[in-house]
Amino acid sequence: MNLIPLFLVSLAAVGYETALTRYFAVAKWSEYGYWVISIVMVGFALSGVVLALWRDAFVRRMPVLMAALPAALVVTAAVGYRFTTTNPFNPLQLQNPATWEPQIWNIAGYYAALLPFFFLAGLFISLSFVRYADRIGRVYAFDLTGAGAGAASVLGAMYVVHAFSLVPLLLVPLALAAVFIRGPYRLRAALAAIFALVAAEAVLLLDDQAAYNDFKAIYAPLHTPDAKILASVNSPRGDYALLDDFTERVDTDISNNAGMLGVEGPPRSFGLYKDGNRIAALPKQSPIASPYAQAALDALPYKLIPHARTLLAGASGGFRTAEVVSLGASGVRVLEPEPELFRIMRDGLGPIQKLPPSANVELRDSGPLAGAADGGLYDVVDLSADFLDAAETNATAFSREAIVSYLHVLAPNGMISIPVSIRDFPVYALRMLSTVRAALLTAGVADPASHVIVYRSAWSVRILVSQDAWSEAEISAARTFCDERSFDLSWYPGMDVAKSRTDLYNDLPAVSFDKGEVESDGPDDAIADEARAVLSGEPTASADQFNLSPITLDKPFFYAVLRLDQIGTILKRLEILPQAEVGALVNLAVLAQAVVIAVLVLLVPLAAPARIRAPGAGVLRSVIYFPALALGFLFLEIYLIEKASFWLGDRTSGFAVVLTGMLVFSGLGSLLSERYAARPRHGMTLVAGVVAIWCLGALMLQEPLILATLNWPLVLRGGLLLVLIAPLSVALGLPFPLGLNRAGTGGFLPWAWGLNGAFSVVATPLANLIAREAGFSRVLMCAAILYGIALVTFPAMRKHSVWHELSAPSPAAD
């Protein structure tokens, strides 16, 4: 029994999938990486259907096919990646009614380029199941552990090479698979694979076409005169580039009256880009000068509380730390959870010097929730303006639970300062107000509106949340601050909204998303129009068009204001949607396509029952059982990745630990499935029980456990995560081989594999949409229900065992 080639092909297939996802994140936008997952599973599903319909023809030619496939996989992987990197797809043009049609063809081009590789990889895996149908548990274990090794290997490779160079590395295990092929074609298989490898590497390395697209933030500054990359860092978290060009400045919101106040403008800086997106300005000199801070939008808390003890989330490359110190803060605890930004400030990078030591500044590599859990009292809890977009997991710092934790560490008369960008949609400020209201109510505040001040420039909003109701003196000071700097107050207790319109410095007219028209007759402040109603929990016009529900740890999506029940209106306004909102629409598109493919994979083989030799009364059960497993497994995986990302403070670390851990432990569970060969239903009952108990425990205990251990060292948190994942994952490794053992050796076995693949395509976008609309707890509950359905629909016993079928003649089906 030779399963080393299967291990290597599974390793390379998952590695190739991960590498493609990284390519889309760097060259395009990460939201379009969902297509990669779709293409992978479609390829696997189609391979199962083809093998189910023409199983006997493939089996007769199995030695030749197994020998030829590694070389074919090398070629299709290289050709597919080459065409992917030269595809002129532009997502901005996809959102434009005048230019969207050619982009549909470009999307089809991705499928045409990448589907052959994943079809052939799925065919190799399916043939392995058919070839060793008497040892399904062992075969599935090698498949899963190979996939886990692939995920771990490519993540490790990201420390060494740029994301654009990952695919050439992954061609090696594909070629190596041919070396371990046994049989009369072994030598020819190895020579063909080596020849294909040399040719493919030459094409990909000598004529590399991978590059940033021209709509990425880095593209324009990188192509200015004398622009140069001074340093770069490769890691699984992203590919970082330190850029020096004449356009780089500190990106902070400065008053138009800065000159009148005798304040200089923001200094020039370096730009730090992650996957082509700018995440911070970095200083060109040390110590950092910040005289402009007096004219900045976010200076008000330090005018209201001189010598404030400050908890600062996000150092903005050191600039925000210097600003807060220059504004008079007596002590600053700086929280920088973005690992590379923290390392740069601690150790420096290229020409950037490390942050000089200061008696009143403490730098930590934790997030705001962990910082608040450390104890201590602060006069100001300040979230930097660029903190939200510096890392994906930073959105949790804007959740209801986070704001409650900030309130608990405020000193008497202390305040929280929350930034919201309104460059795209002013409605983000209203949703943040809804979240603030929910947090204040949770903290026991009866009248949230009296604890909130909202002020803004033309581009940004600051929401101040006070431990105590705002006093008249504080409100007066806030008005003076805004008047001196031409900022606008959008809400304070007792505000006369109608009167405030006559004194606006920055017009912000209300725009109907439904009509696409400005609805204001004169100067207006769209935030002021609805702030009181939102803080009071009353209906608003924006709530009819947008999702204003509070951001929570269960639904930690800041950029999720679109109401998907108004998809017609959304499509009409596609050209004005912020890029961050596009992910939900991509999920919808992938889900629609996935449902069509899943139905085809389900129905086409049923049209030829003689070919698949379906197990009689077990067909109906099986067509429910295998899709339920696919949906349930992926639902649990997506839930765990989200929670692990928050727990470990990093999306990549969470993804790596969960994916590798689940695949490896599930592989162990698959090996253990052979112990239940004589009592498969008993094994499935055990699995359903473990899943139900684990899900119930997670719903009740996981969030308190995570919050209580956020300050633990990363290694301990990662170890505890693996301990929690292990029993669940071992159990999840049992059902698939137990079900396949009931499928026999005919075409039904690869069809069951295809069903699992097809509904895995459905699972990812469906789980993401459920989480967005109802929360990750609902995803977890759905997973438990799906494994209950799998228990009820466990395939019926066949009349003959696998051992009988292996020796039985097969009817001609070719």
Side-chain angles (χ1 to χ4, degrees):
M1 190 175 184
N2 178 26
L3 294 175
I4 295 178
L6 171 63
F7 178 91
L8 291 170
V9 169
S10 295
L11 181 154
V14 170
Y16 189 61
E17 175 188 357
T18 307
L20 288 170
T21 303
R22 285 291 300 134
Y23 167 79
F24 274 95
V26 178
K28 310 291 182 181
W29 284 336
S30 59
E31 289 81 4
Y32 292 92
Y34 291 124
W35 282 334
V36 176
I37 300 171
S38 171
I39 295 169
V40 173
M41 294 306 176
V42 169
F44 283 8
L46 291 180
S47 69
V49 171
V50 169
L51 187 54
L53 294 176
W54 291 281
R55 180 260 184 196
D56 296 314
F58 278 98
V59 168
R60 283 196 297 273
R61 298 168 179 82
M62 187 177 291
V64 176
L65 285 171
M66 297 295 278
L69 278 172
L73 285 167
V74 171
V75 172
T76 53
V79 171
Y81 185 62
R82 169 74 177 191
F83 279 106
T84 296
T85 59
T86 57
N87 190 317
F89 172 71
N90 187 319
L92 294 180
Q93 292 183 10
L94 182 64
Q95 293 179 231
N96 191 320
T99 58
W100 67 271
E101 290 188 24
Q103 301 311 315
I104 297 298
W105 289 106
N106 288 334
I107 294 171
Y110 285 130
Y111 280 80
L114 298 174
L115 196 59
F117 171 81
F118 291 109
F119 174 82
L120 294 179
L123 185 61
F124 190 96
I125 297 169
S126 297
L127 285 170
S128 299
F129 279 112
V130 172
R131 187 175 191 176
Y132 302 111
D134 59 324
R135 302 298 299 276
I136 289 293
R138 186 170 294 274
V139 175
Y140 192 47
F142 271 75
D143 176 32
L144 288 175
T145 53
S153 298
V154 77
L155 286 166
M158 289 179 194
Y159 284 108
V160 181
V161 300
H162 191 273
F164 293 160
S165 301
L166 290 171
V167 168
L169 291 178
L170 294 163
L171 301 182
V172 176
L174 290 173
L176 194 60
V179 175
F180 290 95
I181 293 291
R182 295 176 184 171
Y185 304 102
R186 178 178 182 177
L187 180 59
R188 279 175 282 182
L191 291 175
I194 292 171
F195 177 79
L197 177 64
V198 172
E201 297 286 10
V203 170
L204 294 182
L205 296 177
L206 298 179
D207 188 25
D208 185 6
Q209 296 292 314
Y212 296 110
N213 208 301
D214 56 8
F215 56 79
K216 296 288 282 194
I218 195 174
Y219 185 87
L222 188 60
H223 289 81
T224 57
D226 301 322
K228 51 185 177 291
I229 294 178
L230 301 177
S232 60
V233 178
N234 299 319
S235 83
R237 300 182 183 92
D239 291 302
Y240 298 82
L242 180 65
L243 187 60
D244 184 18
D245 66 275
F246 76 86
T247 70
E248 302 293 344
R249 292 285 192 283
V250 178
D251 187 14
T252 190
D253 209 335
I254 299 295
S255 166
N256 293 330
N257 301 345
M260 296 171 58
L261 295 170
V263 173
E264 298 178 9
R268 290 189 58 185
S269 69
F270 298 119
L272 183 67
Y273 292 79
K274 175 182 176 182
D275 291 345
N277 300 311
R278 193 176 192 267
I279 63 168
L282 293 174
K284 284 195 167 187
Q285 60 183 16
S286 180
I288 304 170
S290 53
Y292 58 89
Q294 299 291 336
L297 182 72
D298 43 22
L300 176 56
Y302 305 94
K303 298 296 183 181
L304 296 175
I305 306 178
H307 314 298
R309 296 164 294 173
T310 303
L311 182 66
L312 176 64
S316 302
F319 282 108
R320 185 60 186 152
T321 306
E323 292 166 14
V324 170
V325 171
S326 73
L327 289 169
S330 61
V332 186
R333 176 174 287 180
V334 185
L335 307 175
E336 185 50 79
E338 211 293 324
E340 196 56 37
L341 276 173
F342 175 80
R343 192 186 69 80
I344 291 171
M345 287 186 292
R346 185 191 64 190
D347 303 328
L349 176 68
I352 299 174
Q353 300 178 26
K354 66 180 181 181
L355 194 70
S358 173
N360 61 342
V361 175
E362 177 190 6
L363 180 63
R364 292 195 175 190
D365 61 344
S366 57
L369 274 161
D374 265 351
L377 287 178
Y378 302 94
D379 300 303
V380 176
V381 176
D382 189 353
L383 278 63
S384 296
D386 58 0
F387 181 72
L388 174 64
D389 295 325
E392 190 174 354
T393 55
N394 285 357
T396 57
F398 294 79
S399 65
R400 177 193 63 201
E401 294 86 347
I403 296 171
V404 171
S405 73
Y406 307 153
L407 288 168
H408 288 160
V409 298
L410 284 181
N413 299 311
M415 68 187 71
I416 308 165
S417 179
I418 304 172
V420 184
S421 172
I422 54 173
R423 292 175 186 268
D424 294 315
F425 280 176
V427 73
Y428 289 124
L430 296 178
R431 187 166 188 234
M432 196 65 238
L433 283 177
S434 174
T435 305
V436 166
R437 175 180 184 272
L440 287 168
L441 290 173
T442 302
V445 175
D447 181 19
S450 65
H451 292 249
V452 176
I453 286 178
V454 182
Y455 67 107
R456 66 175 183 85
S457 68
W459 311 110
S460 305
V461 168
R462 276 278 164 174
I463 300 173
L464 301 186
V465 185
S466 176
Q467 178 80 284
D468 305 289
W470 292 103
S471 67
E472 288 294 334
E474 289 170 322
I475 293 171
S476 177
R479 295 179 66 174
T480 299
F481 173 89
C482 290
D483 286 338
E484 290 175 349
R485 293 160 179 79
S486 296
F487 297 140
D488 293 300
L489 276 163
S490 294
W491 171 255
Y492 57 84
M495 177 176 174
D496 185 337
V497 175
K499 183 180 179 182
S500 70
R501 292 195 185 101
T502 62
D503 300 319
L504 283 177
Y505 298 104
N506 305 279
D507 190 23
L508 186 65
V511 179
S512 169
F513 186 68
D514 183 34
K515 300 175 184 177
E517 300 174 352
V518 174
E519 294 190 324
S520 304
D521 296 329
D524 194 14
D525 185 336
I527 297 172
D529 292 343
E530 301 186 74
R532 186 198 62 79
V534 171
L535 288 169
S536 302
E538 299 172 2
T540 67
S542 291
D544 295 333
Q545 303 176 52
F546 297 101
N547 168 32
L548 299 186
S549 62
I551 303 161
T552 66
L553 292 180
D554 194 41
K555 293 198 294 182
F557 306 101
F558 188 93
Y559 297 109
V561 297
L562 297 183
R563 289 183 51 174
L564 298 183
D565 59 347
Q566 299 182 2
I567 188 65
T569 301
I570 293 171
L571 293 177
K572 290 178 184 177
R573 305 285 173 259
L574 198 60
E575 71 276 10
I576 66 170
L577 295 184
Q579 175 258 323
E581 295 283 352
V582 171
L585 302 184
V586 175
N587 268 296
L588 277 176
V590 172
L591 178 61
Q593 165 219 281
V595 169
V596 172
I597 291 170
V599 170
L600 290 175
V601 170
L602 179 66
L603 296 180
V604 169
L606 288 177
R611 288 178 179 265
I612 63 171
R613 298 200 297 283
V619 173
L620 180 58
R621 288 174 172 265
S622 297
V623 298
I624 299 174
Y625 177 80
F626 289 105
L629 292 184
L631 292 168
F633 189 99
L634 265 295
F635 277 23
L636 286 169
E637 182 180 286
I638 289 168
Y639 171 86
L640 279 167
I641 288 173
E642 177 61 33
K643 296 304 178 182
S645 299
F646 170 52
W647 199 0
L648 303 183
D650 175 56
R651 176 71 60 183
T652 302
S653 299
F655 176 84
V657 173
V658 169
L659 185 62
T660 305
M662 285 190 72
L663 290 173
V664 171
F665 285 119
S666 293
L668 177 61
S670 183
L671 285 174
L672 295 175
S673 69
E674 295 180 355
R675 298 188 177 187
Y676 294 92
R679 300 176 299 160
R681 186 170 290 278
H682 177 76
M684 189 59 217
T685 302
L686 176 64
V687 170
V690 169
V691 171
I693 293 171
W694 193 95
C695 290
L696 181 61
L699 286 172
M700 296 175 60
L701 303 174
Q702 193 165 69
E703 187 171 299
L705 174 64
I706 290 174
L707 293 175
T709 57
L710 278 176
N711 287 315
W712 285 20
L714 180 63
V715 173
L716 290 182
R717 281 177 282 151
L720 183 56
L721 174 61
L722 282 175
V723 169
L724 294 176
I725 288 175
L728 175 69
S729 301
V730 170
L732 297 183
L734 295 172
F736 191 64
L738 290 177
L740 284 186
N741 277 328
R742 299 294 188 98
T745 61
F748 191 79
L749 191 152
W751 182 40
W753 157 260
L755 282 173
N756 190 269
F759 281 88
S760 293
V761 185
V762 175
T764 300
L766 181 59
N768 287 329
L769 290 170
I770 292 173
R772 183 187 187 276
E773 298 299 310
F776 280 98
S777 60
R778 297 297 187 272
V779 174
L780 189 64
M781 293 168 62
C782 287
I785 292 170
L786 286 163
Y787 274 94
I789 292 172
L791 173 63
V792 173
T793 59
F794 188 71
M797 178 66 72
R798 292 177 58 85
K799 295 181 180 179
H800 303 288
S801 69
V802 168
W803 296 101
H804 284 114
E805 294 200 21
L806 286 171
S807 59
S810 299
D814 62 323

